[in-house]
Amino acid sequence: DTGVSQNPRHKITKRGQNVTFRCDPISEHNRLYWYRQTLGQGPEFLTYFQNEAQLEKSRLLSDRFSAERPKGSFSTLEIQRTEQGDSAMYLCASSPQPSGNTIYFGEGSWLTVV
Amino acid sequence: AQTVTQSQPEMSVQEAETVTLSCTYDTSENNYYLFWYKQPPSRQMILVIRQEAYKQQNATENRFSVNFQKAAKSFSLKISDSQLGDTAMYFCAFTALSSGNTPLVFGKGTRLSVIA
């Protein structure tokens, strides 16, 4: 078990470009979460999946953001037409069912939009 | 909606001393879990301790313990015998059990510095 893996770890992009982050959860974890964290703040929930179904999306997830988990394993988070305000760390986490279990975080993907 | 409040943005403690980090939360739920997560500088977030709301006994994990006051909606973390490796951001988090677990809601964190 290698834990939750995220890549790339760091991404610098120009405003207006599209970026995609990938998350590989711990194997056999049904749930996968995406959070966003800015400096000095706690993580803010973006969206989560149970297997391949996207069950909830935060209002923070504007229409420029899209997340997928096509086969219920890895997930991608795409940001289109990036803005400077998108600069943040994007955290992925996973957890097994049943409810109440601990969620395990990856190391995060840092995005800087210049 | 649930909210989690950590009123201490920064704290410091001498090595080997004890420190308590505060957390309050607001919810109308009756069944939920509370967590403390640790995020060391440039490293991933890891679970420190968790508490089930239906349990009256406070959770303990080695040098870490909580003071869970359900009526007051308070959930503080006590770190005993502080070590330099405890230096990190500490986040309090909440999840309700309704609808099969709501996603974790985090506080803004407390930056803890352990001083030699």
Side-chain angles (χ1 to χ4, degrees):
Chain A
D1 184 352
T2 57
V4 178
S5 175
Q6 292 187 245
N7 66 81
R9 294 291 317 284
H10 297 90
K11 179 74 176 179
I12 300 173
T13 191
K14 291 184 178 179
R15 188 173 52 188
Q17 296 294 304
N18 299 345
V19 296
T20 299
F21 298 112
R22 175 177 169 130
C23 172
D24 289 88
I26 295 171
S27 59
E28 298 181 358
H29 277 193
N30 302 91
R31 293 202 170 183
L32 186 148
Y33 304 82
W34 285 100
Y35 283 82
R36 180 173 71 186
Q37 186 179 19
T38 53
L39 283 175
Q41 300 294 317
E44 297 172 297
F45 168 72
L46 292 178
T47 188
Y48 86 99
F49 295 83
Q50 180 162 314
N51 299 312
E52 65 275 13
Q54 189 173 19
L55 295 188
E56 187 173 341
K57 292 194 291 186
S58 162
R59 286 173 292 180
L60 291 174
L61 211 67
S62 76
D63 56 7
R64 296 185 298 105
F65 288 69
S66 62
E68 295 182 343
R69 194 183 184 196
K71 297 182 180 179
S73 56
F74 74 91
S75 175
T76 57
L77 176 69
E78 181 183 17
I79 309 173
Q80 296 182 326
R81 305 182 302 282
T82 52
E83 301 173 356
Q84 287 188 322
D86 297 332
S87 296
M89 182 162 67
Y90 291 86
L91 289 166
C92 178
S94 69
S95 71
Q97 285 195 297
S99 58
N101 274 292
T102 302
I103 71 172
Y104 298 85
F105 285 86
E107 295 187 355
S109 293
W110 276 104
L111 173 65
T112 301
V113 181
V114 297
Chain B
Q2 289 85 13
T3 58
V4 177
T5 302
Q6 293 179 249
S7 59
Q8 305 152 314
E10 293 189 25
M11 292 192 72
S12 62
V13 62
Q14 290 289 129
E15 197 175 6
E17 297 295 307
T18 295
V19 64
T20 298
L21 308 183
S22 302
C23 172
T24 58
Y25 57 95
D26 188 22
T27 184
S28 58
E29 300 281 346
N30 193 46
N31 297 317
Y32 50 87
Y33 286 79
L34 293 159
F35 304 83
W36 279 98
Y37 277 85
K38 169 185 177 181
Q39 189 176 41
S42 301
R43 294 181 63 185
Q44 73 193 104
M45 195 163 327
I46 58 174
L47 177 70
V48 174
I49 197 165
R50 78 173 196 171
Q51 174 81 41
E52 293 89 342
Y54 64 85
K55 289 187 176 179
Q56 292 186 331
Q57 187 172 8
N58 289 324
T60 299
E61 287 287 342
N62 300 316
R63 298 182 296 106
F64 299 88
S65 62
V66 299
N67 183 5
F68 173 49
Q69 301 290 326
K70 190 172 184 180
K73 296 181 181 175
S74 170
F75 182 61
S76 60
L77 174 70
K78 185 171 81 171
I79 306 174
S80 304
D81 186 25
S82 298
Q83 301 175 359
L84 295 178
D86 295 333
T87 293
M89 285 290 292
Y90 286 82
F91 294 99
C92 180
F94 169 102
T95 184
L97 295 183
S98 60
S99 304
N101 268 141
T102 57
L104 278 181
V105 175
F106 287 86
K108 291 189 174 183
T110 296
R111 183 179 303 280
L112 177 66
S113 299
V114 180
I115 303 166

